[in-house]
Amino acid sequence: MKTALLQHPFCDNLEATRAKTSQMVCKAAKMGAKLVVLQELHQSDYFCQFESTELFDLAENYEDDLLFWSEVAKRERVVLVTSLFEKRAPGLYHNTAVVFEKDGSVAGKYRKMHIPDDPGFYEKFYFTPGDLGFTPVETSVGRLGVLVCWDQWYPEAARIMALKGAQILIYPTAIGWFDEDSEDEKERQRDAWVTIQRSHAIANGLPLVAVNRVGFEKDRSGAMKGIRFWGSSFACGPQGEIVAKASEDREEILLCDIDLNRSEEVRRWWPFLRDRRIDAYEDILKRYVD
Amino acid sequence: MKTALLQHPFCDNLEATRAKTSQMVCKAAKMGAKLVVLQELHQSDYFCQFESTELFDLAENYEDDLLFWSEVAKRERVVLVTSLFEKRAPGLYHNTAVVFEKDGSVAGKYRKMHIPDDPGFYEKFYFTPGDLGFTPVETSVGRLGVLVCWDQWYPEAARIMALKGAQILIYPTAIGWFDEDSEDEKERQRDAWVTIQRSHAIANGLPLVAVNRVGFEKDRSGAMKGIRFWGSSFACGPQGEIVAKASEDREEILLCDIDLNRSEEVRRWWPFLRDRRIDAYEDILKRYVD
């Protein structure tokens, strides 16, 4: 299945960014992509660098966003994984991946379940933790295990998607470095980010794609300098083997061919699901065992 | 904490192999190791290449094995992680990691929970799945999260060890290639093996060591050719960063310095335990969600 991962910087405003992304989707479709995956919160800058009640305005467009991306999916005849700021009710917002069918209908959605909160990544202020659980989205190209960014650090999320029949794991992401970190520390961070995701592919015998933005985004509050998003979007197969990898600083359409049938073969060789000790996993449901 | 991983081939018989390993423990202690980790089933060849009731004889020595390795730990004043074939009752055997204190006492043990069964690795015939759960062993050098080989493919096992306060994850292992596999496939396998274990370090903010044997061991049944154990024992830190790595084919004492205090720092930066969605993980306890 031809899949395109669209990695790009924020283009200063909603209209320009939407236009840029739409053009990239069009180009990806022309290249033969059947599934197109966008980066986390792809319509805006990564606005969670500081806390401001005014920024909830960004979610006021949610209904319009749905219409817009539905049109794009329909026009280009692709299954499209978007990442939007959902206003669900006044004072209740989610970081939501909406998946559109190639006819423009909503195939399903996933509300980010694990919400980070660290200097420069104040997501607990903006996003209510998801309440839809870990449920794959059924589409014409397969059952998509869509998760979002911080979820990628949690093996539990990937496992449940796999147990519910996901055929691929998909991670729209916004992650980057602080320029003031040492080169060693930067490399450890990016390498850990790639490694943990490849491990979900391995543990579950599933292909996986991760899409991350690029570019430097200033902290407009002035509290910190800003974040340099490290791109490095990639696709791997069910043994965790890298099949495509993007640069760390350039806009890219990363086209890759994902073989959904290879999971059957790999899971026969490595039948991890067969031997899970479900009788002994109860402590997973605890915060800590003390 | 100075830790030594002992990687070596089987030396034809029990006595020679014990002698070799004991010498290596002695050398490691002289090099300053406080914790010494042996490979899986380090006293014998990897006998699970075929099924034979006679091979249960190997477990008849279990009580003697305990005495022998207790003496080694006491003599060298090291905490010693062994991997033994435990006879628990007639017809009831386990693949058991016994941890000895530096005074020779048994600090605790772990019975392999996930048991593989694949061509050349017929462990379900020999080993009853462990019934002690995933519980770290308290020792004078720290709380050791000892798991064994096939367990390394299961994020659940590592997670529970972490939730129970393990300060390091430890995997005695016996894994190798079939020579007839392609070089690409071999590389994918070993890389997956390293990657999944590094991911447990990352997900849990813990250092980790894995010890694997080396050498070619013929399948004495003649059904298959045999297994070439790929060594590659390694240690990584709590960001999954490799701190030491052994060759794929040589006997080695891999000495590394494990900083147990670094977990505190890394978990402050990457507070994954804080954000686990324990309210939404129940499906982990199912075989499959259908």
Side-chain angles (χ1 to χ4, degrees):
Chain A
M1 179 190 37
K2 285 246 195 262
T3 302
L5 319 187
L6 307 196
Q7 160 179 309
H8 61 80
F10 173 57
C11 305
D12 190 57
N13 60 63
L14 174 71
E15 289 65 33
T17 309
R18 272 184 172 182
K20 155 71 68 186
T21 312
S22 309
Q23 283 160 17
M24 290 174 82
V25 176
C26 172
K27 212 164 156 186
K30 284 209 173 74
M31 291 160 83
K34 302 296 173 207
L35 171 65
V36 177
V37 182
L38 306 184
Q39 64 204 21
E40 187 182 16
L41 301 170
H42 51 84
Q43 297 197 119
S44 62
D45 61 345
Y46 180 71
F47 56 84
C48 314
Q49 289 202 57
F50 62 101
E51 301 189 358
S52 161
T53 51
E54 284 175 22
L55 291 174
F56 287 107
D57 286 348
L58 291 167
E60 294 291 339
N61 289 320
Y62 180 61
E63 293 302 325
D64 175 61
D65 295 341
L66 291 179
L67 289 174
F68 182 89
W69 296 107
S70 160
E71 273 307 309
V72 173
K74 189 175 168 183
R75 187 170 66 234
E76 307 301 345
R77 302 287 300 159
V78 295
V79 171
L80 183 65
V81 179
T82 64
S83 170
L84 304 171
F85 190 14
E86 176 188 6
K87 178 171 182 176
R88 189 174 177 188
L92 185 57
Y93 305 84
H94 295 286
N95 182 326
T96 303
V98 181
V99 181
F100 296 93
E101 248 312 337
K102 60 186 179 188
D103 65 1
S105 62
V106 172
K109 65 182 173 184
Y110 168 79
R111 291 187 179 127
K112 188 172 183 175
M113 291 285 284
H114 298 96
I115 308 294
D117 198 286
D118 299 293
F121 296 83
Y122 299 104
E123 296 197 19
K124 286 196 200 297
F125 176 75
Y126 292 104
F127 308 127
T128 302
D131 58 350
L132 298 175
F134 306 100
T135 306
V137 175
E138 194 79 58
T139 74
S140 58
V141 296
R143 204 177 289 171
L144 312 183
V146 180
L147 295 159
V148 177
C149 203
W150 196 237
D151 293 319
Q152 65 213 172
W153 302 98
Y154 295 85
E156 292 92 341
R159 178 68 95 203
I160 294 174
M161 283 293 187
L163 294 178
K164 288 189 173 172
Q167 294 175 285
I168 180 174
L169 297 169
I170 297 176
Y171 293 89
T173 296
I175 192 167
W177 296 300
F178 299 123
D179 281 351
E180 48 276 34
D181 281 340
S182 71
E183 290 308 308
D184 277 7
E185 178 55 29
K186 288 179 187 170
E187 194 42 45
R188 275 197 296 277
Q189 290 182 5
R190 183 173 54 182
D191 195 28
W193 176 78
V194 172
T195 300
I196 192 87
Q197 293 180 89
R198 290 178 59 208
S199 84
H200 304 325
I202 297 165
N204 297 293
L206 288 177
L208 178 151
V209 299
V211 188
N212 187 29
R213 66 174 63 204
V214 287
F216 180 77
E217 297 183 14
K218 211 177 146 193
D219 175 358
R220 286 183 282 132
S221 80
M224 298 178 78
K225 286 178 185 162
I227 303 172
R228 190 169 303 278
F229 294 93
W230 67 51
S232 309
S233 302
F234 71 94
C236 70
Q239 291 175 296
E241 74 280 18
I242 299 285
V243 296
K245 196 179 160 202
S247 69
E248 69 180 52
D249 54 5
R250 289 192 313 280
E251 175 184 312
E252 278 188 59
I253 296 174
L254 188 68
L255 193 74
C256 47
D257 210 352
I258 306 275
D259 179 3
L260 294 184
N261 297 321
R262 193 165 155 75
S263 288
E264 174 69 34
E265 188 177 35
V266 168
R267 284 187 181 179
R268 287 186 189 196
W269 297 338
W270 293 352
F272 303 140
L273 294 186
R274 180 190 66 191
D275 298 330
R276 294 178 68 240
R277 290 295 303 271
I278 54 173
D279 60 310
Y281 291 163
E282 207 162 346
D283 285 333
I284 293 272
L285 305 185
K286 296 188 178 141
R287 180 65 62 208
Y288 199 72
V289 186
D290 42 16
Chain B
M1 178 188 40
K2 286 246 194 258
T3 302
L5 319 187
L6 306 195
Q7 158 178 311
H8 60 79
F10 172 58
C11 304
D12 190 57
N13 60 62
L14 174 71
E15 289 67 30
T17 308
R18 273 184 171 183
K20 155 70 70 187
T21 311
S22 309
Q23 283 160 18
M24 289 174 83
V25 176
C26 172
K27 213 165 156 185
K30 284 210 174 72
M31 291 160 83
K34 301 296 173 207
L35 170 65
V36 178
V37 182
L38 306 183
Q39 64 204 22
E40 187 182 16
L41 301 169
H42 51 84
Q43 295 197 121
S44 62
D45 61 345
Y46 179 70
F47 56 83
C48 314
Q49 287 202 58
F50 62 101
E51 301 188 0
S52 162
T53 52
E54 286 176 22
L55 291 174
F56 287 106
D57 285 347
L58 290 167
E60 294 292 339
N61 290 319
Y62 181 62
E63 293 302 326
D64 175 60
D65 296 341
L66 292 180
L67 289 174
F68 183 87
W69 295 107
S70 159
E71 274 306 310
V72 172
K74 188 174 168 184
R75 188 170 65 232
E76 309 301 346
R77 303 288 299 158
V78 295
V79 172
L80 182 65
V81 179
T82 64
S83 169
L84 304 171
F85 190 13
E86 176 188 5
K87 178 172 183 176
R88 189 174 177 187
L92 184 59
Y93 305 83
H94 295 286
N95 183 325
T96 302
V98 182
V99 180
F100 296 92
E101 246 316 332
K102 61 187 179 187
D103 64 1
S105 61
V106 172
K109 65 182 173 183
Y110 168 79
R111 292 185 178 130
K112 187 173 183 174
M113 291 285 285
H114 298 97
I115 308 294
D117 198 287
D118 299 292
F121 295 83
Y122 299 105
E123 296 197 19
K124 286 195 200 297
F125 176 75
Y126 293 104
F127 308 127
T128 302
D131 59 349
L132 298 177
F134 306 100
T135 305
V137 175
E138 194 80 57
T139 74
S140 58
V141 295
R143 204 177 288 172
L144 312 183
V146 180
L147 295 158
V148 177
C149 204
W150 195 237
D151 293 320
Q152 65 213 171
W153 302 100
Y154 295 85
E156 292 91 343
R159 178 69 95 201
I160 294 173
M161 284 293 189
L163 294 179
K164 288 189 172 173
Q167 294 175 284
I168 181 174
L169 297 169
I170 297 177
Y171 293 89
T173 296
I175 192 166
W177 296 299
F178 299 123
D179 282 350
E180 47 277 34
D181 281 339
S182 70
E183 290 308 309
D184 276 6
E185 177 57 27
K186 287 179 188 169
E187 194 40 45
R188 273 197 297 276
Q189 290 181 7
R190 184 173 53 181
D191 195 27
W193 176 77
V194 172
T195 300
I196 192 86
Q197 292 181 92
R198 290 178 60 209
S199 83
H200 304 325
I202 297 165
N204 298 293
L206 288 177
L208 178 151
V209 300
V211 188
N212 187 30
R213 66 174 64 205
V214 287
F216 180 78
E217 297 184 14
K218 212 179 146 190
D219 175 359
R220 287 183 281 134
S221 79
M224 298 179 77
K225 286 178 185 163
I227 302 172
R228 189 168 304 278
F229 294 92
W230 68 50
S232 309
S233 303
F234 71 94
C236 70
Q239 292 175 295
E241 74 281 17
I242 299 284
V243 295
K245 197 180 159 200
S247 69
E248 69 180 53
D249 53 5
R250 289 192 313 279
E251 175 184 312
E252 278 187 61
I253 296 174
L254 188 68
L255 192 73
C256 46
D257 211 352
I258 306 275
D259 179 2
L260 295 184
N261 297 321
R262 194 165 153 75
S263 288
E264 174 68 33
E265 189 177 35
V266 167
R267 285 187 180 179
R268 288 186 189 194
W269 297 338
W270 294 350
F272 303 140
L273 294 186
R274 180 192 65 192
D275 298 329
R276 294 178 67 241
R277 289 297 302 271
I278 54 173
D279 60 309
Y281 291 163
E282 207 163 344
D283 285 334
I284 293 271
L285 304 185
K286 297 191 179 141
R287 181 64 62 208
Y288 199 71
V289 186
D290 42 14

